[in-house]
Amino acid sequence: MMESVTSTKKPLPSDIEIAQNAELAPIPEVAAMVGLDEKHLVPYGRNVAKVDLAAIDEMSGRPDAKYVVVTAITPTPLGEGKTTTAVGLAQGLAKIGRKPVLALRQPSLGPVFGVKGGAAGGGYSQIVPMETLNLHLTGDFHAITAAHNLLAAMVANHLHFGNELGLDEIQWRRVMDMNDRSLRHIIEGCGAKTDGVTRQTGFDITAASEVMVIMALATSLTDLRERLGRIVVGFTKDKKPVTAEQIGAAGAMAVLLKDALMPNLMQTLEHTPAFIHTGPFGNIATGNSSIIADRVGIKAGDILLTEAGFAADMGAERFFNVKCRAAGLTPNAAVIVATVRALKSHSGRYQVKAGKSLPEEMLQENPGDVEAGIENLRKHIQIIRDFGVQPVVAINAFPTDFPSEHDVIKRAAEDMGARVAVSTHVADGGEGAIELAKTVVEACDDEVDFTPTYEFSDSLETKIEKIATKVYGADGVELSPAAKKSLAMYTEQGYGDLPVLIAKTQMSLSHDASLKGAPTGWTLPVREVRLAAGAGYVYAICGNMMTMPGLSKTPAAMRIDIDENGNTVGLF
């Protein structure tokens, strides 16, 4: 048996230990690295600053950076390290003399205190301070929560004072940035008549809020205000939409969100600038960081790296079909993060569960298991190629990997004409990502023929079918009667030209989490279609989507504490 990839190295300190021992550069120095004038910084403590939107106009004359999205193969519940790879790649690019910039999503408190933990990267490829990033940051999520719930309160108030607009079907729930299953379904107005109208409603997590997606897709403060006004909170009995503008809430919501629209400037462990902004859900929303952050970052360096949630069929599909088109930006390359453990799981021989150790047999050298799951990688390479973008497969190396297993991945990628590189950025920081960095630079020089999956002029039904067949590999789509009725109604109301998102599991290319690899011979069932008019899309729901997660029996919150010196411990 061959020696594992990093078996001779000492165990890494914990992520938080690495982060807390880091020497940070003053944030004005980080800004200066990308030519960002200090007058545009709004300091938040010592190590974070918001960036005034006036910087966008001031930097507009600069050339655009190369634009690279980091995506992945279909992940295990543990995640395959897209954020970590994006951070490591940025550090590697700096090592070879480039001027990289990161634009990443902000973590939600729900996963931080739940099973998954934080999302600052890992090992020696992290955004720092990691506690600040994972816990509140500059309060953007709280501003989004407040704006969302202001609208909910004003809808309830409208009902209480006679329902002049004739709201009959209300679709606007409340949100909070925490996992709490007991709030999924609630009854409000249970007291006296003066306590409001009694009705059933519930809470979603803030990352699932349409306001979060509006923040991510807004191109300016004016655009933000207009999108907020277009939010549809419900329908009348004759199916006419009722908007936030009609309720009278949109202006106040914009005031609450004005400061939150400014992206947050942070740094990696090796001082690479990172713009952290917004955090929409990856399976029911866009799963991408903000256009505003990209508009700053695209002028701030020579390569802009961003990360799209989950796999290429999820976050990357929305990056290409929705975000790039809304932003008016053309991608130059896509990095597909692949891991041995994920491909072994796609062999169908192992069960990987969140919060549980990997099966012992899965850690043994077995290139045959990787080969058995390799169709998943091939499919994701094809997805990227179909968008007219060059794919680079980044093998995120784990200490339990073996060279023979990496060889399987390399052969499969190269057979499809994709570039491939092994990266040890978790253990080695930027040094471990130099090979990957050089490979990405090569890919960025290739010709791009950016081709979205559908035209906006296609019917809503056609858009859904094209995503299902061209991206997921389905044979077709089966629409429920309710879904057909909604599609017809939205088209009649003038929403037919909107893009489409498909809300489905992230654990499979299909709608069924149990179907591993690259399943064929299946049909995508659409049980419901909803409208997100403010965000600017229609979304089709396949299966049961969890918009308010619950905590596990032993959530991460039980291990997080503070020591006698005021240092956070147990965060990961």
Side-chain angles (χ1 to χ4, degrees):
M1 181 178 289
M2 297 180 71
E3 189 176 79
S4 62
V5 173
T6 54
S7 63
T8 59
K9 298 201 172 185
K10 295 179 181 178
L12 291 179
S14 69
D15 288 350
I16 195 167
E17 288 172 332
I18 292 171
Q20 288 175 340
N21 286 320
E23 292 186 14
L24 276 65
I27 208 69
E29 290 184 13
V30 176
M33 293 177 192
V34 290
L36 190 59
D37 197 305
E38 190 171 352
K39 71 183 180 184
H40 293 306
L41 301 184
V42 182
Y44 271 70
R46 297 186 181 93
N47 303 304
V48 182
K50 280 194 164 294
V51 179
D52 193 302
L53 300 190
I56 295 174
D57 289 336
E58 187 169 295
M59 300 165 74
S60 62
R62 300 181 188 179
D64 284 357
K66 298 291 188 180
Y67 194 28
V68 179
V69 63
V70 178
T71 183
I73 62 174
T74 303
T76 67
L78 307 176
E80 308 318 307
K82 288 189 307 299
T83 302
T84 308
T85 300
V87 174
L89 172 56
Q91 294 179 157
L93 286 164
K95 292 282 186 186
I96 62 172
R98 305 306 294 253
K99 287 180 60 179
V101 178
L102 284 159
L104 302 173
R105 286 184 295 170
Q106 180 182 339
S108 164
L109 289 178
V112 169
F113 291 121
V115 172
K116 192 174 180 181
Y124 290 99
S125 292
Q126 295 188 59
I127 304 295
V128 285
M130 71 95 79
E131 302 106 305
T132 302
L133 176 59
N134 287 309
L135 304 173
H136 306 298
L137 194 52
T138 57
D140 293 349
F141 273 44
H142 301 309
I144 291 167
T145 301
H148 181 115
N149 290 338
L150 170 63
L151 178 54
M154 291 186 71
V155 168
N157 194 55
H158 183 82
L159 296 178
H160 177 69
F161 284 106
N163 193 14
E164 181 183 346
L165 294 171
L167 264 171
D168 180 60
E169 180 188 341
I170 300 172
Q171 299 185 342
W172 197 256
R173 291 153 57 92
R174 289 173 174 79
V175 297
M176 66 178 290
D177 190 28
M178 195 60 63
N179 293 357
D180 192 343
R181 63 174 57 83
S182 63
L183 294 178
R184 290 172 186 162
H185 304 284
I186 66 169
I187 304 295
E188 68 175 39
C190 293
K193 188 175 181 180
T194 55
D195 294 328
V197 175
T198 302
R199 67 185 185 93
Q200 184 173 341
T201 181
F203 278 76
D204 299 324
I205 196 166
T206 298
S209 168
E210 184 179 346
V211 179
M212 178 69 80
V213 191
I214 288 172
M215 289 281 287
L217 293 176
T219 56
S220 65
L221 186 57
T222 300
D223 186 37
L224 172 69
R225 174 62 181 82
E226 292 173 353
R227 286 174 178 271
L228 292 171
R230 293 197 297 265
I231 291 172
V232 172
V233 298
F235 296 88
T236 62
K237 284 187 177 179
D238 57 354
K239 298 302 179 183
K240 294 289 189 291
V242 176
T243 66
E245 198 70 62
Q246 291 173 280
I247 293 292
M253 293 170 72
V255 170
L256 283 173
L257 295 169
K258 180 171 68 74
D259 289 346
L261 189 61
M262 295 187 288
N264 307 291
L265 177 62
M266 299 184 72
Q267 63 188 287
T268 72
L269 285 166
E270 297 177 16
H271 314 311
T272 308
F275 296 103
I276 311 296
H277 202 213
T278 72
F281 250 25
N283 51 5
I284 66 163
T286 53
N288 283 261
S289 60
S290 76
I291 286 175
I292 289 286
D294 284 358
R295 290 188 70 193
V296 177
I298 203 79
K299 300 293 186 180
D302 61 8
I303 295 183
L304 172 62
L305 302 172
T306 190
E307 176 257 334
F310 298 129
D313 61 312
M314 302 289 284
E317 180 269 317
R318 290 143 200 210
F319 172 80
F320 293 128
N321 281 326
V322 180
K323 182 181 177 182
C324 286
R325 294 162 97 176
L329 296 174
T330 300
N332 295 97
V335 175
I336 305 172
V337 178
T339 62
V340 166
R341 71 183 186 188
L343 290 169
K344 283 185 175 181
S345 77
H346 283 292
S347 71
R349 299 167 186 171
Y350 304 101
Q351 290 290 324
V352 179
K353 296 182 179 179
K356 303 262 183 165
S357 299
L358 291 173
E360 188 60 35
E361 319 86 74
M362 200 174 179
L363 303 178
Q364 304 304 310
E365 183 177 10
N366 195 331
D369 282 350
V370 179
E371 185 68 52
I374 205 69
E375 285 304 316
N376 188 265
L377 172 62
R378 292 193 177 103
K379 176 60 179 172
H380 285 292
I381 292 173
Q382 188 60 54
I383 289 171
I384 299 300
R385 283 209 176 282
D386 286 346
F387 282 106
V389 177
Q390 294 302 322
V392 174
V393 176
I395 302 175
N396 182 14
F398 281 65
T400 51
D401 296 352
F402 291 86
S404 63
E405 296 169 334
H406 288 175
D407 288 343
V408 174
I409 301 173
K410 290 177 182 177
R411 283 196 300 271
E414 290 169 351
D415 286 348
M416 292 193 69
R419 292 178 173 85
V420 60
V422 177
S423 188
T424 60
H425 49 273
V426 174
D428 302 317
E431 285 288 341
I434 286 177
E435 179 190 352
L436 176 59
K438 291 178 178 177
T439 306
V440 169
V441 169
E442 290 176 4
C444 284
D445 289 334
D446 288 346
E447 185 177 345
V448 173
D449 181 22
F450 181 45
T451 308
T453 308
Y454 53 79
E455 299 296 332
F456 290 141
S457 58
D458 289 339
S459 70
L460 293 174
E461 186 170 341
T462 298
K463 291 168 190 167
I464 294 171
E465 186 173 359
K466 284 185 175 181
I467 294 173
T469 56
K470 292 185 176 183
V471 179
Y472 303 160
D475 288 345
V477 173
E478 182 180 348
L479 298 170
S480 71
K484 289 180 180 179
K485 186 176 179 180
S486 294
L487 287 171
M489 181 179 73
Y490 297 148
T491 301
E492 183 181 344
Q493 292 169 347
Y495 299 114
D497 289 339
L498 292 181
V500 165
L501 269 63
I502 297 179
K504 72 174 187 71
T505 179
Q506 69 272 22
M507 306 311 298
S508 172
L509 282 158
S510 75
H511 63 289
D512 183 349
S514 67
L515 298 180
K516 301 300 182 183
T520 57
W522 59 279
T523 300
L524 181 73
V526 178
R527 65 175 177 84
E528 186 181 353
V529 179
R530 296 179 185 173
L531 174 66
Y537 59 78
V538 170
Y539 59 110
I541 299 175
C542 308
N544 295 316
M545 290 295 99
M546 187 68 67
T547 55
M548 171 52 83
L551 295 171
S552 65
K553 186 176 181 180
T554 56
M558 295 176 69
R559 298 182 289 277
I560 296 172
D561 208 332
I562 197 162
D563 66 18
E564 63 276 9
N565 298 315
N567 296 314
T568 301
V569 294
L571 185 64
F572 69 100

